[in-house]
Amino acid sequence: SGSFDWRQYHTLDEINDWLRGLSDTYPEHVTIVDGGVSYEGRDIIGVKISYSPNNHRHTVFIEANIHAREWITSAVATFVINQLLGNDDPEIRHLAESYDWYIFPVFNPDGFAYSHTTNRLWRKTRQPYSVLCVGADPNRNWPYQWMQGGASNNPCSETYAGPSPLSEPSTLSLSSFINSLGFQIEAYISFHSYSQMLLLPYGHTTDHLDNYEELMIIGEQAIVDLEKRYGTQYVVGNIAETIYVATGGSMDWVKHEYEVPLTYTYELRDTGEYGFLLPAEQILPTALETMDSLVSIFKSYEILHPRGQNLVL
Ligand code: 0X9
Ligand code: ZN
């Protein structure tokens, strides 16, 4: 106890204990935020990291492990938290201090716990839907374009969308937490694995909607900067064109509901050699290259959308 590192994967309790400890270590800058309670009664917690006393600041929201078996995603999310709090590199200080950050390392705590105790390859929630089949896909359960492609109405399917949008207690309560931030959200980042892709909205159509062109430009630079560290190659593109049609995803709902300018879904390492069972030795390199890409995304965004120019007297 007391130790948390990125040389191994951690359980839900270890992650949540570490998050709670951060608010004791950094009481000025870290607040535990309450994303509600899952079907099986687990707390869904995140951290708010803020270096400003003001509210209503430009906000970055990061979610990970909405799919239970994608363990690398919570490992990267906790690494990002640790960097924002503890790395004194000027680019990372700038990033940390320019936004209010809301980071939820485990969006699907019941599934995540089950993937540790019982079935390493579990994906969905743990709400039962038939005698034989348990869980809905929480990344097919959000209201925008719900059940409009790449989702199933069969409770036994791995992509079961649920009987109705937000049928899962976790997605329902997280959606109301996100509603409380609303139009403050300037960036929404969703971590998945695996495939080494940087995906942009939307999942229901190959059409290039909203600010597709700008997200492509920023994303192309981000994958160049990611590759610089270890040579890891990503591809960037919209979901429906690059991976497959998939509706009811969290990012798509947040993008559409709040016109969020910066929205990316990462499919982290690898490309299939280990897949969901990415060895723990790859946590640190994956986290470092991902951090490089995040720095790149915000650097590009700030060049394209300078802020506070008129304040110079
Ligand atoms: O199918 C998914 O939900 C994601 N791939 S995964 O292999 N990690 O399951 C793709 C995300 C699609 N995202 C949205 N439609 N927002
Ligand atoms: Zn996933």
Side-chain angles (χ1 to χ4, degrees), residues 98 148 165 298:
S98 301
Q148 298 301 301
F298 288 92

Side-chain angles (χ1 to χ4, degrees), residues 65-70 73 123 137 139-140 190-194 244 265-267 276:
N65 257 145
I66 194 170
H67 288 144
R69 62 194 172 194
E70 298 167 12
T73 65
R123 168 180 169 95
D137 182 342
N139 209 38
R140 299 291 182 282
S190 174
F191 286 135
H192 287 255
S193 70
Y194 56 91
Y244 39 61
T265 292
Y266 281 76
E267 294 287 351
F276 302 116

